Amino acid sequence: MTANIGASPQTVVSRLRQILKKHVKQKLDSTKAAPRKSYGYLRLLIKSNPSKLDVFYLVVGILAAMAAGVPFPLLGVLFGELVDELNAASCAKSHDQDVGNLQSSVNNKVILIVYVSIANFFAIYIHTGCFSLFGERLVRRMRENYFRGLLRQEIAFFENLPAGDVASCLTSDIETIRSGVSEKVGIVISSFSYLLGAYVVSFSKDAKLAAMLVSLIPAYILMAAVGGKYVGRYTSRVSDHIGAATAIASECLCNVALIQAFGAGPRLEAKFTMKLQKAQKDGLKKAFAAAAQFGFLFFIAYSANALAFWQGARTIAKGSYSGVTAGAVYTVIFLLVDASFIISQVAPFLQIFAAAAAASERIQSVVDRSSSIDGTKASEGIKLDRVRGAITFEDVTFRYPSRPDSSVLENVSLFFPAGKHTAIVGPSGSGKSTIAALTTRLYDLRRGRILIDENNIQDINVRFLRSRIGVVQQDSCLLDRSILENVAHGLVNSNHIDSESILLGSTLSDIAKTVRAGQNFDTAVAAQSPAVVDIVNRVQEAAILADAHTFISDLEFGYATMIGSSGNELSGGQRQRVALARALVKDPAVLILDEATASLDTASERQIQSSLAKVIHGRTTISIAHRLSTIKDADHIIVLKDGRVLEQGSHSELVAKDKTYASMVETQTLRTTTPLKRPNSGDVPTPKFRKGTSNESPITEKETFPDSDQTVNEPLKEQLVDPLGSQRSIWSTVRGIASLSRPQLMFVILGMAAATAVGGAFSGEAVIFGHTIGALSPCRSPASIRASGNLFGLLFFLFAVLVLSANVISGSSFGKVAEKMVLKVRILAFRALFHQDLEWHCSNGRSPAILLSYLSTDAAALAGLSGTTVGTIVSIMVNLMAGILMTHIIAWKIAIVLLATLPILLGSGIMRLRVLAQLQDRHQLAYATSVGITIEAVNSIKTVASLGLEHELLAVYTRSLVSPYKASFKEIAYADFWLATAYSVSNLIYALAYWWGTKQVVAGLYSQTQFFIVLPALLFSAQSCGQMFALAPDFSKARVASAKLLDLIDIGPAKLTHRGDIVTDMEKGDDLEAGSKVRSIPLNQRGIRVDFRNVHFSYPARPHLTALKAIDLEILPGQFCALVGPSGAGKSTILSLLEMFYTPKYGRIEFDRSSAFDRDRVALVPQDSHLFDESVRFNVGIGARAGHEATNDEIETACKLANIHETIAILPEGYNTRCGPNGDRFSGGQKQRLSIARALVRQPSLLLLDEPTSALDAESEVHFQDTLAKISSRMTIVAIAHRLHTIMKASVIFLIEGGRCVDRGTHEELFQRNASYRANALHQCLGT
């Protein structure tokens, strides 16, 4: 808080304007809908579990803040007395009297001012430091409490959680809370302290004038209330629209490969832009409301000056009868104008506090929410002495909370005997995975009950229940850790490990880091305690059982290898094996395998099945599978359809019944002209590629492509660097922003003109101010004093009207420019992000969470260098230049000394700006890691809950906060030093100004009037320039953000450098994809010819590992080709090269005998079928070619071909049904069929299928095969499949092993001549 006694109205209002501007900006980032029950700001401060140290910071901060407000009224008295003495000196000089004692008196007062200013400096430094530390500690606790609250919630809570909500809470909401509980608290307390002292002094000096100026308080409050109402309303709307746009961007950044494959960027950009345009519309209204509010601030301040000088003149004219001097009037006027400013300053701060309370309310609603299924508590519910594993479903009916109108299970009664292997089969969406979820109590039942060993699972402690159940889910979700840590996660909540502190600590992470730094793995482990060695041994044993040890050992860092977000550094099969090892290391009483081997090649599956046969012996095992060969040996098989049990029995019994199951067996039976002989174990050779030789190229492919180039050696947690590494200068940043604003040049000129008028008015006000003080001299006649009061009061009122008008025009014009520019920047940044290839997205520590900040936090911060801030800067600079010129003309000897103090005023502000810029950059990037951990946990919440990883994740999250928290201490101490200096040094300079000015007046060189023109024109203007840095946090964020955004836009497509109206261009069809197409490409009705000619390839992040070696492939137009081979052989790498996600290291890839590639003719069905949180219609429609909007008929036709139309049609909202975050409202098979429909709606010439039937039931697979038969004549098809039944009719099958094509031919040809292929086929045979 800066209360500058003797400050002009222009200075006061400028400060207030900056404060309210900051309030508006923070409202944009923080206003959210909150529950009706108020959490309360005071409760936020004192009910957040503060420690003794927090209480100490709070108490000391309050006392220091109260003390910081006391000196200002005292300084007001001293400055008033100096005015009286100058008046006396002027009168004495006019009567040739001696003024020798005047300088001595002035010297004494100046020394007192110095002492008071020094005390004020320490008081400000102490209270800002205490509250800054208090705020940092409080938000750290809130981060932890919020994450803890999230981890406690049931799964249904997350299904209704809006996309991007968690990221929003941990960025904008937490930042709002930090802003509301830090140094601003001390500023408000010191303001109230100053307010009380100001009124005590003012009423003692001139009670009547003080009483009249009390009217300022309701005027400011009314202005703040009315303006705040409208500004807040539009700010809230803008925030909602920006949040919706951010959610779209978040999903896009998590699925970059999918967007590139379908050229879906323009369609998603259109959705993104639509939300931003709504934000712009409300933003323009907000700009006008804010400009009007700022204008009225000036109007009230200048009107108050008009009233005060008019009344003051009348009082002084009474002479000795009134007992009031000019100095007393001076003290009252400026103390109460400043005091009124304090009230208006507190008003927006209170709104900031209210925003902080509302943000904490939103966070606290999660923290306080009582979870119906809490997996973090160890005390609630019973714990069984022994779990045998007998599971009973009694009349179970269930509907997912997100789809209450669709029944998933209907009156289902099942029994899973203890120690037996029970399999569940049936069509996609029949309820198989739901049974697995209910067994681990991820959901509660609608009707019926589930018993374990005759105990209702709702009576059993949730954490205990999950500790006895091991799960391998359909989507093998791994966390962004090392393989060692991921497998060890199975031990976190188990009954076989006593060393929980090791698993919750950083020991395993430290081992992995040490190995990646160069130490031998065995050596690093041997140096640990026996408990750690035991954990590592268990992990390795489980990996061997899961057939994962071989490929892990071949990795550069082995078990210490980082596997990327969601395990995306591994292929689908490798992820599944690691997930299986994670379940097996738990040694659970109940083992649930939900499509546990769907992504594995048959040889791996056979080996794992052999290991599992030993593991599951005597253990309750529930297997869910579409591939019947994996469960035919189960003790009991249950057939489900539409949530009901159709039949039960053993494999042979169900085949003998010749009903649904027998039909499924018939469908999946491989047929060949060569007799299928059931081999003995010795008849089928183990394929040579399973030996883990160097030919396997571990982690050479990823079944879903995204993030495949993320640096394994240097995970994000260890790379806290700026992802773009901006070195852009401030001047370059300003030029870039100016260039982007060029389409709004007319409004820029209008705003500049109005801002110039405001700045010029400030200098003109200084002239009036000086003449007013001179005219109030008691040496003049009463009539002259009254006449001068009337004149200057009128002039002040005219200035009030002028500045009101100019501010409204300036704020509205620059507001329009800002809204247009920020919209343009967001769209261009969005385009630039999705113009980059996968390597860029995954290198240098870039992650979706960090890149999202460019479109959310950085784009919002850009307003700090645009909008009304530009108007403020222009007016201040005009004022400063005019002030310097005018003061040197009027009194150069005084002006030149005061001019020398300007670097001190500006320097303190600049230093604080630099410190905060560095702090903001490091702070944001450091906390991005913790935000990423939270987002990953939410996206993997089913895995987290099933494994009981809540405590482990919380421990990792807490550790991630330690480093940025510790780093903030030094920066806070340094920044607060410059803050206190900037707020205190002005008083010292005023003391110098009065001392030097008095000497010149006493010497007769200048008059009192000249002195009081020079003082406000120069010092107060310079102070306003310095106070521009009161917005240092906003300015710092804006400078960094602007440079990063401009750097991002610069690396986008060349056409993005155009300066037209981006939205208008889009409406004309000017989009990223369209811009790259300059001709219409006719459809090839026979498909594309593809040739691989001696192709070698290594992923850029792993150049030492060769993924493909001398690959030669010839795929003719209209052929149905298949790629088969073990996991990690290079199959998906071939598809990624066909999509041109990467380019070969050597060799050529030709399309129709040309190197030209048109992605518009290619469609992809990835193994992990991601859907956006939009309607089914939108998700299928984004597969259409660029520039073409898929019609309803085209979408429905594609869905019929994919066998998903009937499923959609029976939904209450049909094709308008929202798919939910990650498509979670549909089963795995349903998502895969929607993914197939998305590819077919494109009508491609080249269709790429990566395990397209891995999640499909037998019926859907048969239907898909029929679809392939229909479309294969019109397009070239390349499919990857481990189910040979899917691709046995292919024209040619390429056998890929160790990055080479070792054989090719039809199914019959390969079966006859290739031992490994024949072994693969025989393993999939189903007998009775």
Side-chain angles (χ1 to χ4, degrees):
M1 190 273 297
T2 311
N4 297 294
I5 308 308
S8 72
Q10 160 266 320
T11 303
V12 171
V13 176
S14 178
R15 285 179 289 168
L16 181 53
R17 181 181 183 183
Q18 294 161 9
I19 296 294
L20 286 180
K21 170 65 180 67
K22 186 172 181 63
H23 162 61
V24 170
K25 170 63 174 62
Q26 293 185 348
K27 288 283 286 182
L28 174 63
D29 293 335
S30 64
T31 305
K32 304 288 181 182
R36 292 182 181 179
K37 181 180 177 182
S38 176
Y39 179 59
Y41 182 75
L42 291 179
R43 185 180 173 191
L44 169 63
L45 290 179
I46 63 178
K47 296 288 187 179
S48 55
N49 301 318
S51 65
K52 292 182 179 179
L53 182 58
D54 294 308
V55 174
F56 172 79
Y57 284 144
L58 185 61
V59 172
V60 173
I62 291 173
L63 294 176
M66 293 173 64
V70 172
F72 297 118
L74 301 180
L75 291 173
V77 174
L78 292 175
F79 285 136
E81 291 177 356
L82 285 173
V83 170
D84 283 336
E85 290 176 347
L86 281 174
N87 277 333
S90 298
C91 291
K93 292 289 291 183
S94 64
H95 293 88
D96 296 325
Q97 296 177 3
D98 183 31
V99 292
N101 295 329
L102 173 62
Q103 191 62 53
S104 175
S105 177
V106 170
N107 292 345
N108 292 333
K109 289 181 174 59
V110 166
I111 292 174
L112 289 175
I113 293 173
V114 171
Y115 291 155
V116 171
S117 298
I118 293 173
N120 187 53
F121 168 84
F122 285 106
I124 292 175
Y125 185 73
I126 291 172
H127 83 68
T128 53
C130 285
F131 280 110
S132 295
L133 294 174
F134 177 83
E136 284 290 331
R137 292 171 61 86
L138 186 145
V139 296
R140 180 188 179 186
R141 292 196 303 275
M142 294 209 73
R143 286 178 187 271
E144 294 178 6
N145 292 338
Y146 177 67
F147 191 40
R148 185 181 290 109
L150 279 176
L151 294 175
R152 193 175 62 243
Q153 304 307 317
E154 70 276 9
I155 302 300
F157 170 83
F158 295 95
E159 292 179 346
N160 295 317
L161 198 66
D165 189 77
V166 171
S168 176
C169 280
L170 289 173
T171 52
S172 62
D173 284 354
I174 286 292
E175 177 61 24
T176 299
I177 294 171
R178 190 196 65 79
S179 177
V181 298
S182 297
E183 72 280 352
K184 292 182 181 63
V185 182
I187 291 174
V188 170
I189 294 173
S190 60
S191 297
F192 275 111
S193 175
Y194 170 39
L195 174 67
L196 180 61
Y199 270 94
V200 170
V201 170
S202 296
F203 275 94
S204 67
K205 291 290 184 179
D206 187 345
K208 185 175 181 179
L209 180 57
M212 293 178 67
L213 292 181
V214 169
S215 61
L216 285 171
I217 297 177
Y220 274 125
I221 291 177
L222 180 63
M223 175 276 303
V226 175
K229 175 184 177 181
Y230 287 99
V231 172
R233 173 186 299 174
Y234 295 125
T235 298
S236 179
R237 292 178 184 176
V238 169
S239 181
D240 290 340
H241 297 318
I242 294 297
T246 301
I248 294 172
S250 177
E251 278 198 291
C252 293
L253 286 168
C254 291
N255 298 277
V256 175
L258 183 66
I259 292 172
Q260 290 190 352
F262 285 101
R267 292 180 177 87
L268 290 162
E269 180 185 311
K271 285 269 186 183
F272 182 72
T273 302
M274 182 180 66
K275 302 294 185 184
L276 293 180
Q277 285 178 302
K278 293 180 179 179
Q280 182 194 65
K281 182 178 178 180
D282 287 316
L284 293 174
K285 296 177 181 177
K286 183 202 71 176
F288 176 79
Q293 186 180 33
F294 293 152
F296 275 105
L297 291 178
F298 285 93
F299 180 80
I300 293 171
Y302 280 117
S303 297
N305 273 269
L307 174 64
F309 282 117
W310 175 78
Q311 174 60 31
R314 293 169 61 88
T315 303
I316 294 172
K318 295 179 181 179
S320 60
Y321 297 103
S322 65
V324 176
T325 65
V329 172
Y330 181 89
T331 298
V332 172
I333 290 174
F334 291 105
L335 274 183
L336 290 190
V337 168
D338 229 12
S340 302
F341 159 71
I342 293 302
I343 294 299
S344 58
Q345 180 189 38
V346 168
F349 273 23
L350 291 180
Q351 293 183 48
I352 292 175
F353 297 159
S360 69
E361 203 168 283
R362 185 179 177 204
I363 291 176
Q364 200 67 25
S365 66
V366 175
V367 175
D368 293 340
R369 185 180 184 274
S370 178
S371 174
S372 57
I373 308 173
D374 189 347
T376 64
K377 294 182 178 178
S379 56
E380 294 184 359
I382 63 174
K383 296 182 180 180
L384 307 180
D385 295 332
R386 178 173 176 267
V387 176
R388 295 184 299 107
I391 301 173
T392 305
F393 279 57
E394 293 185 353
D395 194 28
V396 169
T397 296
F398 177 73
R399 298 180 180 183
Y400 282 102
S402 59
R403 289 182 290 165
D405 297 329
S406 301
S407 180
V408 182
L409 297 178
E410 195 71 35
N411 300 321
V412 170
S413 295
L414 297 172
F415 178 65
F416 302 92
K420 299 296 183 180
H421 182 193
T422 303
I424 307 175
V425 299
S428 301
S430 59
K432 304 182 298 298
S433 296
T434 301
I435 289 176
L438 293 176
T439 303
T440 54
R441 205 186 164 194
L442 295 181
Y443 302 92
D444 277 335
L445 299 177
R446 180 183 181 89
R447 188 173 69 240
R449 61 178 188 159
I450 301 175
L451 308 177
I452 291 186
D453 296 343
E454 300 182 355
N455 295 278
N456 193 323
I457 64 170
Q458 292 190 346
D459 298 329
I460 301 175
N461 177 267
V462 177
R463 190 165 182 80
F464 172 84
L465 172 69
R466 293 171 182 170
S467 72
R468 300 308 189 265
I469 301 176
V471 181
V472 180
Q473 294 174 333
Q474 187 173 9
D475 296 327
S476 303
C477 185
L478 305 175
L479 301 183
D480 188 10
R481 317 278 182 81
S482 66
I483 294 177
L484 174 64
E485 293 168 90
N486 269 283
V487 178
H489 282 160
L491 293 170
V492 171
N493 183 33
S494 69
N495 63 331
H496 299 286
I497 283 291
D498 297 327
S499 305
E500 186 177 19
S501 60
I502 296 174
L503 296 168
L504 298 183
S506 61
T507 303
L508 298 183
S509 175
D510 293 340
I511 291 175
K513 289 179 182 178
T514 301
V515 173
R516 292 196 297 273
Q519 189 173 4
N520 179 269
F521 180 75
D522 293 332
T523 303
V525 173
Q528 304 297 321
S529 66
V532 175
V533 174
D534 179 59
I535 291 174
V536 174
N537 289 338
R538 288 175 181 268
V539 167
Q540 292 178 324
E541 291 169 5
I544 291 172
L545 287 174
D547 192 32
H549 180 74
T550 301
F551 92 79
I552 294 173
S553 300
D554 286 336
L555 300 175
E556 180 181 5
F557 300 118
Y559 284 86
T561 301
M562 296 294 296
I563 60 176
S565 176
S566 299
N568 284 329
E569 283 294 324
L570 303 180
S571 71
Q574 291 167 339
R575 286 202 306 270
Q576 206 153 40
R577 279 179 273 176
V578 173
L580 182 59
R582 183 178 62 190
L584 295 177
V585 77
K586 196 184 194 91
D587 192 20
V590 178
L591 182 61
I592 300 177
L593 306 173
D594 188 356
E595 292 284 1
T597 58
S599 298
L600 299 181
D601 60 276
T602 308
S604 296
E605 183 182 60
R606 181 79 174 183
Q607 186 165 340
I608 290 175
Q609 291 291 336
S610 176
S611 300
L612 285 177
K614 302 173 184 177
V615 173
I616 67 178
H617 181 70
R619 187 193 311 270
T620 303
T621 305
I622 301 174
S623 294
I624 297 171
H626 288 305
R627 200 185 299 179
L628 301 183
S629 62
T630 64
I631 52 89
K632 62 186 180 64
D633 295 328
D635 299 309
H636 192 69
I637 299 174
I638 299 170
V639 182
L640 286 181
K641 186 175 183 180
D642 297 330
R644 298 179 183 274
V645 178
L646 296 184
E647 53 184 338
Q648 304 183 53
S650 66
H651 173 75
S652 57
E653 292 171 349
L654 293 175
V655 170
K657 289 181 180 180
D658 197 23
K659 294 184 179 180
T660 303
Y661 183 81
S663 176
M664 296 168 63
V665 171
E666 178 70 14
T667 301
Q668 293 193 18
T669 299
L670 283 172
R671 291 181 175 84
T672 178
T673 56
T674 304
L676 294 178
K677 171 188 172 185
R678 172 62 59 189
N680 296 321
S681 59
D683 293 335
V684 181
T686 301
K688 61 184 179 180
F689 53 79
R690 299 301 309 151
K691 294 302 181 181
T693 65
S694 60
N695 291 336
E696 184 179 347
S697 296
I699 318 187
T700 58
E701 60 172 316
K702 268 181 39 350
E703 309 298 1
T704 53
F705 306 129
D707 301 330
S708 55
D709 285 326
Q710 184 169 336
T711 304
V712 178
N713 305 15
E714 298 175 333
L716 172 61
K717 298 182 185 65
E718 302 172 25
Q719 293 186 34
L720 294 181
V721 296
D722 185 345
L724 290 182
S726 176
Q727 300 296 323
R728 186 181 291 266
S729 67
I730 294 179
W731 174 240
S732 176
T733 301
V734 172
R735 283 193 294 112
I737 292 174
S739 181
L740 288 169
S741 302
R742 193 173 298 166
Q744 285 74 47
L745 182 61
M746 182 183 70
F747 290 99
V748 172
I749 294 173
L750 183 61
M752 293 282 283
T756 301
V758 172
F762 293 160
S763 297
E765 178 268 335
V767 175
I768 299 175
F769 175 80
H771 282 88
T772 302
I773 294 297
L776 297 182
S777 171
C779 300
R780 303 184 61 182
S781 67
S784 175
I785 292 176
R786 280 193 293 268
S788 297
N790 294 337
L791 173 62
F792 296 126
L794 177 61
L795 289 177
F796 268 116
F797 183 77
L798 293 177
F799 264 90
V801 176
L802 170 64
V803 177
L804 167 62
S805 303
N807 271 282
V808 170
I809 295 173
S810 174
S812 299
S813 299
F814 282 121
K816 184 177 181 66
V817 173
E819 290 296 330
K820 291 284 187 180
M821 184 184 68
V822 172
L823 171 65
K824 183 175 183 178
V825 165
R826 277 193 165 107
I827 296 173
L828 292 179
F830 186 96
R831 285 188 180 184
L833 283 174
F834 294 102
H835 179 72
Q836 309 309 316
D837 56 24
L838 292 180
E839 180 181 358
W840 183 90
H841 276 268
C842 306
S843 61
N844 294 336
R846 299 183 183 97
S847 71
I850 289 179
L851 294 178
L852 180 63
S853 67
Y854 288 83
L855 299 174
S856 55
T857 308
D858 291 337
L862 180 59
L865 286 182
S866 59
T868 54
T869 302
V870 176
T872 300
I873 294 174
V874 171
S875 63
I876 288 176
M877 296 307 295
V878 169
N879 181 25
L880 182 62
M881 295 299 101
I884 292 174
L885 179 62
M886 183 179 68
T887 55
H888 280 73
I889 293 173
I890 294 174
W892 71 269
K893 288 188 176 181
I894 298 177
I896 199 168
V897 172
L898 299 187
L899 186 62
T901 65
L902 294 188
I904 301 175
L905 279 173
L906 298 180
S908 59
I910 292 173
M911 284 302 300
R912 182 171 182 251
L913 173 62
R914 290 187 59 187
V915 172
L916 286 175
Q918 298 169 1
L919 173 62
Q920 176 65 32
D921 203 16
R922 287 194 293 266
H923 190 275
Q924 179 181 343
L925 202 57
Y927 278 111
T929 302
S930 61
V931 174
I933 293 172
T934 310
I935 294 174
E936 182 182 47
V938 171
N939 291 340
S940 311
I941 193 62
K942 289 185 178 179
T943 299
V944 171
S946 299
L947 294 172
L949 295 179
E950 295 91 347
H951 295 160
E952 193 273 346
L953 275 169
L954 184 61
V956 172
Y957 182 76
T958 302
R959 289 198 295 271
S960 74
L961 298 177
V962 172
S963 178
Y965 171 72
K966 288 183 177 179
S968 66
F969 275 88
K970 182 178 179 180
E971 278 84 359
I972 286 174
Y974 193 41
D976 285 343
F977 169 81
W978 291 108
L979 171 66
T981 300
Y983 284 169
S984 302
V985 72
S986 58
N987 292 323
L988 295 175
I989 294 176
Y990 286 144
L992 172 63
Y994 275 104
W995 174 79
W996 178 248
T998 301
K999 286 182 71 70
Q1000 304 310 305
V1001 172
V1002 169
L1005 298 177
Y1006 300 108
S1007 68
Q1008 180 183 3
T1009 297
Q1010 290 173 307
F1011 171 67
F1012 278 108
I1013 290 175
V1014 171
L1015 183 66
L1018 194 57
L1019 278 189
F1020 297 170
S1021 299
Q1023 183 189 357
S1024 296
C1025 193
Q1027 286 171 353
M1028 181 172 59
F1029 299 107
L1031 292 174
D1034 283 343
F1035 192 87
S1036 302
K1037 288 188 287 187
R1039 183 188 64 80
V1040 174
S1042 302
K1044 290 164 63 178
L1045 283 166
L1046 290 170
D1047 284 345
L1048 176 60
I1049 292 172
D1050 284 347
I1051 64 173
K1055 73 186 294 294
L1056 296 186
T1057 59
H1058 79 279
R1059 306 305 179 191
D1061 189 299
I1062 189 73
V1063 178
T1064 302
D1065 291 344
M1066 289 180 62
E1067 291 171 351
K1068 294 178 180 178
D1070 178 21
D1071 60 43
L1072 182 59
E1073 294 300 319
S1076 64
K1077 308 245 186 295
V1078 295
R1079 58 185 176 86
S1080 175
I1081 300 177
L1083 296 181
N1084 187 336
Q1085 297 299 319
R1086 296 192 58 223
I1088 295 176
R1089 175 189 175 100
V1090 179
D1091 293 281
F1092 276 60
R1093 301 186 183 279
N1094 193 32
V1095 171
H1096 293 71
F1097 176 73
S1098 297
Y1099 283 106
R1102 300 178 295 277
H1104 58 287
L1105 294 177
T1106 303
L1108 297 178
K1109 306 171 184 177
I1111 288 285
D1112 286 292
L1113 302 177
E1114 182 182 276
I1115 304 172
L1116 300 178
Q1119 270 193 333
F1120 174 20
C1121 304
L1123 305 175
V1124 299
S1127 300
K1131 305 184 300 297
S1132 290
T1133 300
I1134 292 175
L1135 289 198
S1136 67
L1137 290 176
L1138 285 174
E1139 273 284 3
M1140 296 304 289
F1141 289 148
Y1142 310 98
T1143 54
K1145 185 175 182 180
Y1146 303 111
R1148 288 168 55 86
I1149 301 176
E1150 296 181 350
F1151 300 90
D1152 287 337
R1153 300 189 181 278
S1154 170
S1155 59
F1157 173 72
D1158 179 14
R1159 185 170 283 151
D1160 217 20
R1161 304 173 67 192
V1162 182
L1164 170 70
V1165 179
Q1167 184 178 1
D1168 292 338
S1169 304
H1170 178 85
L1171 301 177
F1172 293 95
D1173 189 14
E1174 295 287 344
S1175 67
V1176 171
R1177 189 184 313 279
F1178 176 82
N1179 273 284
V1180 176
I1182 62 173
R1185 297 190 178 209
H1188 172 68
E1189 190 71 26
T1191 65
N1192 291 338
D1193 288 342
E1194 290 172 338
I1195 291 173
E1196 291 184 14
T1197 299
C1199 289
K1200 288 175 181 177
L1201 287 172
N1203 193 31
I1204 191 64
H1205 172 73
E1206 293 182 2
T1207 301
I1208 299 169
I1210 63 175
L1211 295 173
E1213 298 181 69
Y1215 280 85
N1216 294 321
T1217 302
R1218 293 189 73 86
C1219 298
N1222 300 317
D1224 286 343
R1225 295 185 180 178
F1226 291 93
S1227 69
Q1230 291 167 340
K1231 286 194 291 185
Q1232 198 159 40
R1233 282 181 280 165
L1234 285 170
S1235 182
I1236 293 170
R1238 178 173 60 199
L1240 294 179
V1241 81
R1242 196 175 187 85
Q1243 300 180 19
S1245 300
L1246 175 61
L1247 179 62
L1248 308 177
L1249 306 171
D1250 193 356
E1251 288 287 357
T1253 61
S1254 62
L1256 296 187
D1257 56 90
E1259 180 183 346
S1260 297
E1261 183 178 7
V1262 170
H1263 196 287
F1264 181 63
Q1265 290 171 353
D1266 293 339
T1267 298
L1268 289 180
K1270 294 177 184 177
I1271 66 176
S1272 58
S1273 62
R1274 304 197 303 269
M1275 63 187 68
T1276 304
I1277 301 174
V1278 181
I1280 295 174
H1282 290 306
R1283 290 188 190 179
L1284 297 185
H1285 189 273
T1286 303
I1287 49 88
M1288 62 182 298
K1289 295 181 181 180
S1291 305
V1292 60
I1293 299 173
F1294 298 98
L1295 181 59
I1296 309 298
E1297 297 177 2
R1300 300 178 184 274
C1301 180
V1302 298
D1303 206 345
R1304 70 192 70 193
T1306 64
H1307 170 72
E1308 300 288 346
E1309 293 169 349
L1310 292 177
F1311 186 86
Q1312 291 180 24
R1313 71 169 180 255
N1314 190 283
S1316 63
Y1317 185 88
R1318 183 166 58 252
N1320 192 356
L1322 291 174
H1323 288 158
Q1324 296 185 37
C1325 289
L1326 280 168
T1328 56

